[in-house]
């Protein structure tokens, strides 16, 4: 493929509460440098039960879902850690490059050089505390970016938007 036809992908990366507990934020950002991607959105979020249910919709019937909620919301670590950092990255093959640097879901099976392999663990309740989330396909990236970011929180329009009037103000929403 020539430079002009290479297609950019978008991916959502979340530094989960254990990344913050372990002071890994700078380290993780540095690990993603090698992928040569660009950050186009970034914020800190306090995660609600509703957001976890939407984000991990595919796991809602799993017996570990409530423990996963406690972990992902940060409740496991106390009020100072009830937050995550969310990023949208853009670039060529962004999804597979980020998944490779992140490592396998189970930190005990992940490449020890990967982020999850190096820093993850399985906690006492059996939850895979694996430090980061990253989208696994273009379809889930789109769903996740819609869920976590408003259009005006990303520096370019990566998915279609529409203007709607709310309380006499014009706001931009995802289509
Ligand atoms: P992914 O994060 O690699 O995309 P998913 O299957 O989407 O993996 O699972 C979401 C998260 O739920 C995982 O990152 C991990 O924290 C947790 N998880 C997934 N499967 C299990 C399990 O079998 N036991 C405990 N925790 C799990
Ligand atoms: Mg997943």
């Amino acid at each position: 493929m020539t430079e002009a036809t290479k297609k950019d992908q978008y991916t959502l990366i979340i530094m989960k509460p254990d990344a913050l507990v372990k002071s890994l934020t700078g380290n993780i950002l540095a690990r993603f440098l090698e992928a040569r991607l660009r950050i186009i959105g970034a914020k800190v979020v306090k995660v609600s039960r509703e957001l976890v249910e939407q984000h991990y919709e595919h796991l809602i019937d799993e017996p570990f879902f409530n423990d996963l909620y406690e972990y992902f919301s940060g409740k496991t670590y106390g009020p100072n850690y009830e937050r995550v950092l969310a990023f949208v990255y853009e670039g060529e093959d962004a999804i597979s490059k980020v998944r490779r640097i992140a490592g396998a879901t189970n930190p005990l099976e992940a490449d020890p050089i990967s982020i999850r392999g190096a820093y993850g663990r399985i906690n006492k309740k059996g939850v895979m505390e694996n430090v980061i989330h990253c989208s696994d396909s273009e379809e889930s990236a789109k769903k996740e970016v819609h869920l976590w970011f408003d259009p005006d929180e990303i520096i370019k329009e990566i998915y279609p938007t529409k203007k709607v009037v709310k309380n006499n103000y014009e706001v931009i929403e995802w289509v």
Side-chain angles (χ1 to χ4, degrees):
M1 251 189 209
T2 65
E3 206 61 42
T5 58
K6 278 177 185 164
K7 189 174 158 290
D8 278 339
Q9 285 182 330
Y10 310 104
T11 187
L12 181 83
I13 297 181
I14 297 170
M15 296 195 198
K16 298 182 183 183
D18 50 331
L20 303 176
V21 169
K22 294 173 178 171
S23 279
L24 292 171
T25 51
N27 184 306
I28 292 168
L29 287 173
R31 293 294 305 272
F32 285 123
L33 291 178
E34 68 187 72
R36 295 178 175 274
L37 304 171
R38 300 173 293 278
I39 295 172
I40 58 170
K43 64 177 174 178
V44 59
V45 180
K46 184 165 180 175
V47 176
S48 67
R49 175 92 195 188
E50 190 190 4
L51 182 55
V52 183
E53 287 178 358
Q54 290 174 300
H55 180 74
Y56 285 139
E57 200 175 23
H58 59 297
L59 298 173
I60 210 152
D61 294 326
E62 294 291 342
F64 59 81
F65 187 81
N66 198 55
D67 294 330
L68 177 61
Y69 159 70
E70 299 267 320
Y71 159 52
F72 194 65
S73 65
K75 292 195 184 304
T76 303
Y77 312 103
N80 284 344
Y81 294 103
E82 287 183 29
R83 60 202 158 91
V84 300
L85 292 174
F87 299 87
V88 182
Y89 274 68
E90 164 194 74
E92 192 194 337
D93 290 332
I95 293 169
S96 63
K97 281 180 181 164
V98 167
R99 293 284 296 189
R100 187 179 52 74
I101 295 166
T105 304
N106 184 340
L108 304 186
E109 290 169 5
D111 178 344
I113 304 299
S114 67
I115 294 169
R116 288 167 161 183
Y119 303 117
R121 64 167 189 172
I122 297 187
N123 73 17
K124 280 183 274 183
K125 292 184 169 174
V127 177
M128 294 170 186
E129 293 189 358
N130 54 11
V131 186
I132 56 168
H133 165 81
C134 39
S135 308
D136 63 9
S137 63
E138 289 193 20
E139 190 190 1
S140 45
K142 184 177 178 187
K143 179 204 145 186
E144 292 167 4
V145 171
H146 280 66
L147 186 59
W148 286 81
F149 283 83
D150 290 329
D152 63 2
E153 294 175 315
I154 300 176
I155 53 107
K156 55 203 273 197
E157 195 180 299
I158 62 173
Y159 303 116
T161 61
K162 63 178 182 223
K163 287 182 180 156
V164 286
V165 177
K166 277 190 179 167
N167 303 324
N168 287 328
Y169 283 98
E170 200 173 70
V171 294
I172 297 175
E173 290 184 350
W174 298 118
V175 173

